[in-house]
Amino acid sequence: MAPQIEQVLEHLEKDFPLSRITSTPVEGGSVNVIVEPVDLGPRYQPRVTWIGAQLTPGLPYSDVYPLYVGAEVGRVHGGSWQVPISTGHQFEGRPALQISRRTNNLLATAGCAAGKFIKVLHFIREEAQ
Amino acid sequence: MTRDVHLYFAPGIYDAAISHLFPGDDAEHAGVLLCGWDQTESRLLLSARQFVPAKDGLDYVRTEEFHGRLQPLFIDEQLTQAAQRRLAYVAVHNHGSDDRVQFSPVDLRSHEYGYPTLAKLNRGLPVGAAVFGRRSVEVDIWMPDGSRHQLSTARVVGRAIRHLWASPGHAPKTRNEEEFDRQLPFLRQGQGLIRSCVVAIVGLGGVGSQLLEPLVRMGLRRFVLIDPDRIDTSNYSRLHGALPSDLPAAGQPGRLKVEIAHRLLKQIAPDVEVKTVPSDVSHGEVHRHLLGSDFIFLAADTAAARLTCNAVAQQYLLPMLQLGTKIQVQATERRSRAFGAVRHIRPGRGCLWCNGLIDRVELANASKPQELLERERYGVNLPNPAVVTFNAEVAARGMNEFLMRYAAPAAPEPAHDYTLIDLMSGERELVEARTEPLCPFCAIDYDESCAGLGNAQQIPTMSSSHS
């Protein structure tokens, strides 16, 4: 496993101390990672799911993009998904929602790459307001 | 001794060294340059990362024979820095000369006495000395294998590039060749610089192929050409030098673009030296072919090529121009737009990362299989439009920027980093690029930056990246 990917995984372990971090190497030196469980907050039903993404060898310069959460979650008050959330995807064999959020800042560290998982979770929580 | 050292400076480091060495008192002063380094088949590269001034009377004292000497404690501190950061240690002092300088016999005896030991202390890293005149530099670098190297050329890579040598006799000669009779009155000394310049062109497509004929006709004779692609029927209209026989036919793939470029250069100038590299610059060690060049034209349009070449330019202090065109086609023709960009990248300025010009999603996509990208993609993804005449305008501006910045020192120093061209109206915007103080690539005063570090830091590629 590329050292820069290992560093991102180490940061995820610290950022999500109560979750399991599952990593699966895939072709091209990338690694698929799933963080489980994660809490999307009271506006979602079920509120607990997983979040995942592919970590690529271009890290820490490449973006962590896109991210996925479990397809089973829905908003408590209903409503269809809007861009940048799209339906009908799979990640590691699991039905998934895809969240296509770009990173616009220029910080390029393993900590920032791991932080993208937190930022996207925050975005999903806020998006349901 | 081999005269193959290429010593490159960012203007700030060079100015700091010169102001310390020549404060106006005609005395000798000293310091240490900590340099990134690397070796190719024909060059020992030194990129000055830091100048550490030696305090007169404390770090640098005069002996009874009036010879200056760096003190052991100062030397030890700088050697420790060099070893920890995997940099070359180069002790510097000045002589009161102008455009020619050489080590004194006492200097050379002290090198022969001290550097074999220092080379061992610097854990397999180069050690040595540099002596500065006001407009000249000489070096004596000792490699771990015992070989000694002198200066081929030094450069201050500013908005315009300043070339320095140990003496005018080492500058490339301008020959009175009838072939260049009309441009010699303008270029003068620059014609010699052009003839000896090794130009690397990354990307031999619509823009890159436009560079070939004017550059070789102008007198360039040494090229490194990097592109993994083969010609396809859809790019025949834009590929300068391509012939119908190069196109794919009867199950055979099209000819490699670097082969087409090589053939064109040889037809125009049979004495041209061309190294063709049919590989992606962002893969593995391919970028090392850039290290033997004096100037890079980046005409490849992928984020991965930009990432790797931008890192090479900043880490080795190599000047680079990034050239590209972009056409946005709208439903109504009146709203369509076409832009060109000529971006000058040099130490601490114009960095493609600082200016948000390396697409981080595209970098992530570069490692993914096509089938996964299709699943992730939403929206329409059409091939980028391209027009040969637009490419020609951008390439021409790029070559003139190269000429003004590299080989025409009498030209007015440009105040801008980027030229953005509206290819439909002809209007130009001259842009001063952003510089982020904590940029991992270009911020030479930021400890975590790779600027000037040479081989002490791995160049990011798609098969390996920074740790």
Side-chain angles (χ1 to χ4, degrees):
Chain A
M1 190 183 299
Q4 62 272 23
I5 292 179
E6 280 180 4
Q7 288 173 10
V8 176
L9 292 173
E10 285 167 15
H11 277 275
L12 285 172
E13 298 275 359
K14 288 179 196 155
D15 291 346
F16 295 93
L18 302 178
S19 305
R20 281 188 312 281
I21 313 292
T22 310
S23 58
T24 310
V26 292
E27 65 179 290
S30 299
V31 168
N32 284 347
V33 60
I34 287 179
V35 181
E36 183 176 30
V38 293
D39 186 356
L40 297 184
R43 300 188 190 99
Y44 286 90
Q45 178 62 44
R47 61 184 285 171
V48 174
T49 183
W50 55 272
I51 186 167
Q54 186 166 105
L55 305 180
T56 58
L59 284 166
Y61 306 110
S62 60
D63 203 350
V64 178
Y65 178 98
L67 283 91
Y68 299 90
V69 296
E72 70 282 5
V73 300
R75 295 192 189 91
V76 170
H77 299 297
S80 59
W81 298 110
Q82 305 283 327
V83 173
I85 301 176
S86 56
T87 59
H89 299 276
Q90 289 227 329
F91 185 71
E92 282 291 287
R94 303 177 182 205
L97 301 175
Q98 177 175 304
I99 302 100
S100 306
R101 292 268 291 174
R102 281 172 173 266
T103 301
N104 288 321
N105 71 50
L106 298 177
L107 294 171
T109 64
C112 288
K116 179 81 181 273
F117 287 74
I118 296 170
K119 285 178 78 169
V120 166
L121 283 173
H122 182 74
F123 166 78
I124 297 170
R125 287 179 191 132
E126 296 298 306
E127 204 269 341
Q129 280 187 352
Chain B
M1 284 204 218
T2 315
R3 192 167 280 286
D4 65 347
V5 174
H6 286 239
L7 171 61
Y8 300 144
F9 294 93
I13 304 274
Y14 181 76
D15 291 346
I18 289 296
S19 343
H20 177 75
L21 297 174
F22 297 100
D25 58 3
D26 291 330
E28 282 190 12
H29 302 276
V32 165
L33 280 170
L34 299 177
C35 297
W37 68 281
D38 213 320
Q39 243 181 325
T40 70
E41 286 167 15
S42 58
R43 295 180 180 194
L44 172 56
L45 296 169
L46 293 177
S47 44
R49 164 73 191 215
Q50 187 181 353
F51 173 69
V52 186
K55 295 186 186 73
D56 291 323
L58 184 67
D59 303 322
Y60 186 65
V61 297
R62 249 163 265 291
T63 63
E64 288 176 3
E65 299 83 23
F66 297 103
H67 300 306
R69 181 178 288 169
L70 285 171
Q71 291 302 285
L73 185 60
F74 180 78
I75 294 172
D76 184 57
E77 283 173 359
Q78 305 321 317
L79 269 177
T80 303
Q81 280 287 316
Q84 284 175 350
R85 298 161 75 184
R86 312 249 350 118
L87 299 174
Y89 165 97
V90 183
V92 305
H93 73 287
N94 63 298
H95 288 170
S97 55
D98 186 27
D99 65 354
R100 62 192 68 223
V101 69
Q102 60 183 3
F103 290 106
S104 68
V106 173
D107 290 334
L108 291 171
R109 277 201 301 277
S110 74
H111 299 172
E112 281 152 18
Y113 175 77
Y115 283 133
T117 307
L118 286 189
K120 284 179 191 154
L121 288 174
N122 206 21
R123 299 177 198 167
L125 299 164
V127 296
V131 60
F132 283 68
R134 285 185 176 79
R135 292 186 298 150
S136 49
V137 190
E138 177 61 292
V139 302
D140 181 11
I141 304 298
W142 293 60
M143 295 302 288
D145 63 4
S147 61
R148 287 173 76 175
H149 302 255
Q150 292 177 297
L151 189 80
S152 169
T153 182
R155 288 190 196 125
V156 186
V157 187
R159 289 183 196 275
I161 293 163
R162 186 171 171 197
H163 304 265
L164 298 161
W165 298 275
S167 74
H170 293 295
K173 303 288 179 295
T174 293
R175 290 183 289 190
N176 246 341
E177 292 166 294
E178 189 177 358
E179 192 182 337
F180 307 114
D181 180 57
R182 300 297 175 88
Q183 68 189 38
L184 275 174
F186 174 72
L187 281 175
R188 289 176 284 185
Q189 182 71 34
Q191 189 68 45
L193 287 171
I194 281 176
R195 189 172 190 96
S196 63
C197 178
V198 180
V199 155
I201 304 176
V202 181
L204 274 303
V207 175
S209 69
Q210 293 275 349
L211 302 169
L212 299 163
E213 182 162 350
L215 288 178
V216 75
R217 288 200 186 280
M218 194 160 64
L220 278 113
R221 287 295 180 269
R222 301 164 78 189
F223 291 83
V224 177
L225 307 175
I226 304 177
D227 193 320
D229 291 344
R230 294 175 179 275
I231 187 173
D232 198 11
T233 308
S234 67
N235 45 50
Y236 181 70
S237 70
R238 300 180 307 284
L239 209 65
H240 202 66
L243 301 172
S245 57
D246 297 325
L247 291 170
Q252 293 298 309
R255 194 179 299 278
L256 283 163
K257 290 179 178 176
V258 290
E259 287 179 359
I260 295 169
H262 187 185
R263 181 184 65 205
L264 177 64
L265 292 172
K266 279 281 184 192
Q267 283 170 344
I268 297 167
D271 62 335
V272 73
E273 294 170 29
V274 184
K275 181 188 276 186
T276 54
V277 186
S279 307
D280 188 323
V281 74
S282 70
H283 287 177
E285 297 293 306
V286 175
H287 65 272
R288 290 195 60 80
H289 291 286
L290 300 173
L291 303 186
S293 70
D294 299 294
F295 200 98
I296 303 167
F297 285 94
L298 171 57
D301 57 3
T302 66
R306 287 186 180 192
L307 179 77
T308 297
C309 292
N310 187 64
V312 168
Q314 297 296 343
Q315 239 166 275
Y316 290 91
L317 310 184
L318 285 169
M320 179 169 84
L321 278 171
Q322 185 259 321
L323 312 174
T325 62
K326 190 174 181 71
I327 303 176
Q328 295 170 337
V329 179
Q330 303 293 335
T332 57
E333 275 184 26
R334 281 187 187 173
R335 296 182 61 193
S336 294
R337 306 178 77 182
F339 298 97
V342 178
R343 299 186 175 104
H344 192 222
I345 293 102
R346 59 189 172 84
R349 296 290 309 177
C351 168
L352 296 174
W353 184 263
C354 282
N355 288 277
L357 295 166
I358 300 174
D359 187 321
R360 300 182 71 174
V361 170
E362 200 191 315
L363 286 181
N365 290 346
S367 306
K368 295 178 182 176
Q370 194 58 33
E371 175 259 333
L372 175 59
L373 291 174
E374 293 298 331
R375 286 206 316 262
E376 289 180 351
R377 184 169 292 139
Y378 63 94
V380 183
N381 195 46
L382 297 171
N384 290 327
V387 178
V388 64
T389 50
F390 291 160
N391 293 341
E393 184 169 349
V394 170
R397 184 63 240 159
M399 287 182 285
N400 283 335
E401 294 260 341
F402 159 73
L403 192 61
M404 295 302 114
R405 294 175 190 254
Y406 187 86
E413 195 162 277
H416 62 281
D417 302 299
Y418 296 170
T419 304
L420 305 181
I421 308 167
D422 183 329
L423 294 165
M424 296 175 76
S425 71
E427 289 176 10
R428 290 181 185 189
E429 188 183 352
L430 305 181
V431 178
E432 197 166 341
R434 281 199 307 269
T435 299
E436 295 293 328
L438 301 183
C439 175
F441 295 104
C442 76
I444 205 156
D445 295 327
Y446 172 44
D447 281 349
E448 301 293 315
S449 160
C450 61
L453 290 185
N455 65 9
Q457 185 92 30
Q458 197 177 356
I459 292 288
T461 65
M462 285 304 99
S463 50
S464 62
S465 195
H466 283 241
S467 56

